[in-house]
Amino acid sequence: MSDQMTSLTKNQEMVLGALSHAKAPMSAYAILDELRSEGFRAPPQVYRALEKLVAGGLVHRLESLNAFVACSHEDCHTSGLIAFAICEQCGLVSEFSDQAVSTRLTHWIADHKFTNTKTTIEIRGDCGTCSVAG
Amino acid sequence: MSDQMTSLTKNQEMVLGALSHAKAPMSAYAILDELRSEGFRAPPQVYRALEKLVAGGLVHRLESLNAFVACSHEDCHTSGLIAFAICEQCGLVSEFSDQAVSTRLTHWIADHKFTNTKTTIEIRGDCGTCSVAG
DNA sequence: GCCGATATGTTATAGTATAACATACTATCT
DNA sequence: AGATAGTATGTTATACTATAACATATCGGC
């Protein structure tokens, strides 16, 4: 289960499938409900699959939402830090990375002798389409 | 309840007091337990106070932890975006802001016609002291 | 076939957050 | 003082999120 996940288990496939078809982030329980018809019965089945998928970079957890999205970033694995812009109206999640932001944060971390394990950047608001729609 | 909160209610005072004396972020339920001896009985009492304190900028919510800290930033209200570095060993939370990071994210937001309401930046890891201690 | 490692199934429970409704306090106006 | 409107508080119940713990099954190498 390193950077590139080679093969997925049945449950991981199903969870990733549910997230891939979703138009907005899904909570673990929303995934569970969707997969009940395929045999899922309990939260740990979902959470265990999510854990592996997140570790493998195929799924991201949105901390400010307690929800999950399939990765949509071109080359998620090679670029640095990833930021998310999340539309609170339609659920659209835009994934992006910015070299300058990564650099600055990395410098702050180094300057403060901090050992970084994970960094979260999440912008909440309304996307262009929804802003216009008001 | 604008930027500068003028006066705090009794419950807000108590919740802020608990957070101010804490050495690490506290969950709402940890605050509740600490304030039971002072008459608190139920979660809404804590959550309602937190809501106002967060809106007033006196307390920050750490999304990746589902926990809260008293604001420790010099001038939290005038500076831009705030980032948090959170030590997973000792719970130390360092609040900082970086002009370049703010600028870059603000530009991304404007370029994408996004209407920003709130941005979260949280770095998880070990602080200098704890990294050395291993 | 045996064995270890991993994946899965299942039950129960812990931890986080809010809805809904009742009561009380505070300030202002008359 | 009494009426009233707005805010704050108290309380019960419930919804939502996440994991512990244990049982069973599946896969791969020996």
Side-chain angles (χ1 to χ4, degrees):
Chain A
M1 203 70 49
S2 57
D3 269 294
Q4 322 261 36
M5 293 185 87
T6 51
S7 69
L8 298 177
T9 68
K10 185 164 67 73
N11 286 2
Q12 288 162 18
E13 287 279 12
M14 290 197 279
V15 168
L16 181 57
L19 286 173
S20 298
H21 295 116
K23 294 211 205 101
M26 294 179 81
S27 74
Y29 278 76
I31 296 170
L32 175 58
D33 285 342
E34 191 161 311
L35 294 180
R36 279 190 197 282
S37 57
E38 326 221 18
F40 273 52
R41 327 272 338 262
Q45 297 176 293
V46 175
Y47 281 104
R48 286 196 284 232
L50 286 171
E51 185 183 5
K52 296 303 173 72
L53 291 166
V54 169
L58 297 177
V59 166
H60 301 296
R61 177 192 173 88
L62 301 176
E63 301 286 357
S64 67
L65 239 44
N66 293 326
F68 302 84
V69 284
C71 177
S72 64
H73 196 255
E74 308 75 31
D75 42 9
C76 203
H77 303 291
T78 62
S79 55
L81 237 164
I82 301 173
F84 302 92
I86 304 164
C87 176
E88 289 174 349
Q89 301 291 313
C90 69
L92 176 74
V93 175
S94 304
E95 222 177 304
F96 68 98
S97 63
D98 184 290
Q99 189 56 55
V101 170
S102 293
T103 301
R104 297 289 292 191
L105 292 180
T106 301
H107 281 160
W108 188 96
I109 290 166
D111 288 350
H112 291 76
K113 310 265 189 277
F114 205 85
T115 305
N116 178 230
T117 56
K118 194 198 171 207
T119 298
T120 298
I121 303 181
E122 296 178 14
I123 299 165
R124 301 279 297 271
D126 294 342
C127 70
T129 307
C130 291
S131 296
V132 171
Chain B
M1 202 70 48
S2 55
D3 270 296
Q4 324 261 35
M5 294 184 86
T6 50
S7 69
L8 299 177
T9 68
K10 187 164 66 73
N11 286 2
Q12 288 162 18
E13 287 278 12
M14 288 198 279
V15 168
L16 181 57
L19 285 174
S20 298
H21 296 116
K23 293 209 205 102
M26 293 179 83
S27 74
Y29 279 76
I31 296 170
L32 174 57
D33 285 342
E34 190 161 312
L35 294 179
R36 278 190 197 282
S37 57
E38 325 222 18
F40 274 53
R41 325 277 330 266
Q45 296 175 296
V46 175
Y47 281 104
R48 285 196 286 233
L50 285 171
E51 185 182 7
K52 296 302 173 72
L53 292 167
V54 169
L58 297 177
V59 165
H60 301 295
R61 177 193 172 87
L62 301 177
E63 302 287 355
S64 67
L65 240 44
N66 294 325
F68 303 84
V69 283
C71 177
S72 64
H73 195 255
E74 308 74 31
D75 42 11
C76 202
H77 303 291
T78 61
S79 55
L81 240 163
I82 300 172
F84 301 91
I86 305 163
C87 177
E88 290 174 349
Q89 301 291 312
C90 69
L92 175 74
V93 175
S94 304
E95 221 176 304
F96 68 98
S97 63
D98 182 291
Q99 190 55 55
V101 170
S102 293
T103 301
R104 297 289 293 190
L105 291 180
T106 301
H107 281 160
W108 189 95
I109 290 167
D111 288 349
H112 291 75
K113 309 266 188 279
F114 205 86
T115 305
N116 178 230
T117 56
K118 193 199 171 204
T119 298
T120 298
I121 304 181
E122 296 178 12
I123 298 166
R124 300 278 298 271
D126 294 341
C127 71
T129 306
C130 291
S131 296
V132 172

